[in-house]
Amino acid sequence: DSGVTQTPKHLITATGQRVTLRCSPRSGDLSVYWYQQSLDQGLQFLIQYYNGEERAKGNILERFSAQQFPDLHSELNLSSLELGDSALYFCASSRDWASDTQYFGPGTRLTVL
Amino acid sequence: GDSVTQMEGPVTLSEEAFLTINCTYTATGYPSLFWYVQYPGEGLQLLLKATKADDKGSNKGFEATYRKETTSFHLEKGSVQVSDSAVYFCALNNPPSGSARQLTFGSGTQLTVLP
């Protein structure tokens, strides 16, 4: 158990809908990362937050957004969902923005029908 | 940009066989290198890491040495067990000064160990 929690574990929804994925980092970690794991793209970095502020953006679609709250949990919002958004979404956390070791949560499996 | 190339799987071995999973990288500067493991139905677990040239990371009988001259970080284990069956990901972290440390992953190698 890495100490990173993600909810829900599974999510099934329809095209065009909007969903919110939630992540709680390890105790004491200030930085949160979101990654997408899909069969065709592999594991890709989406976005990073540090202590409530966006730190870096990767291959994140404009339909996707995220935020980190004062209690350091983070939410990833996915809107106007398409079939191709079906994937595993992982959250990871690290002690601070400069830490090179990230600890991953169990993931949320999103299925868009 | 940075990239990681892993040997293609799947890899199938008998129990107690020797394991090597090749990983090479392309990056400027001095990245940190990692191996993560994903067991069926679970998230990624950090297996080992190395942060500078000639460092050897080790954990649970797995080892990998950071070879800057060959830009490689091959994963090895002397005697695999059925419980080692999983997907193994090589990754690097190479931020420009002051930038975020997102991970760049290889495509993953599926390992199956037969009893």
Side-chain angles (χ1 to χ4, degrees):
Chain A
D1 185 351
S2 67
V4 179
T5 61
Q6 289 187 249
T7 56
K9 193 171 176 63
H10 300 280
L11 200 47
I12 301 174
T13 188
T15 55
Q17 294 300 302
R18 173 189 169 93
V19 296
T20 297
L21 282 52
R22 183 188 169 104
C23 166
S24 292
R26 292 186 321 158
S27 177
D29 284 0
L30 299 176
S31 197
V32 168
Y33 303 76
W34 286 97
Y35 292 84
Q36 180 194 59
Q37 185 180 34
S38 61
L39 283 175
D40 54 344
Q41 299 289 328
L43 264 162
Q44 292 206 311
F45 167 72
L46 296 178
I47 197 164
Q48 181 204 9
Y49 277 81
Y50 170 72
N51 207 19
E53 295 190 4
E54 183 184 300
R55 186 79 192 180
K57 266 187 174 179
N59 298 320
I60 187 166
L61 300 171
E62 285 190 14
R63 301 182 286 107
F64 296 1
S65 64
Q67 54 185 323
Q68 187 179 26
F69 295 87
D71 67 351
L72 301 176
H73 90 272
S74 178
E75 293 181 354
L76 179 66
N77 300 295
L78 316 177
S79 61
S80 302
L81 285 167
E82 302 175 0
L83 296 177
D85 298 328
S86 296
L88 255 176
Y89 291 85
F90 287 110
C91 169
S93 72
S94 65
R95 190 63 58 185
D96 55 47
W97 69 268
S99 300
D100 64 2
T101 300
Q102 297 174 27
Y103 297 89
F104 282 74
T108 293
R109 180 169 293 283
L110 173 66
T111 303
V112 182
L113 300 175
Chain B
D2 298 341
S3 65
V4 176
T5 303
Q6 285 182 238
M7 65 183 284
E8 291 191 14
V11 174
T12 302
L13 296 173
S14 297
E15 205 164 25
E16 299 183 2
F18 185 85
L19 168 71
T20 299
I21 300 178
N22 290 337
C23 171
T24 57
Y25 67 90
T26 301
T28 56
Y30 302 92
S32 296
L33 301 174
F34 304 83
W35 278 100
Y36 280 85
V37 58
Q38 185 177 27
Y39 297 101
E42 297 184 14
L44 292 112
Q45 297 179 24
L46 178 63
L47 184 58
L48 52 84
K49 72 173 190 178
T51 58
K52 61 183 188 297
D54 300 324
D55 266 4
K56 177 186 281 188
S58 61
N59 186 27
K60 299 181 182 179
F62 290 91
E63 293 183 342
T65 301
Y66 188 144
R67 301 286 188 202
K68 190 156 178 64
E69 64 276 13
T70 54
T71 62
S72 65
F73 193 54
H74 305 321
L75 182 68
E76 297 182 336
K77 187 176 185 184
S79 176
V80 293
Q81 306 299 312
V82 172
S83 57
D84 294 326
S85 298
V87 181
Y88 292 81
F89 290 92
C90 185
L92 69 80
N93 181 308
N94 186 32
S97 176
S99 297
R101 289 185 173 261
Q102 62 263 32
L103 291 163
T104 299
F105 285 92
S107 56
T109 302
Q110 171 78 55
L111 169 67
T112 300
V113 181
L114 302 175

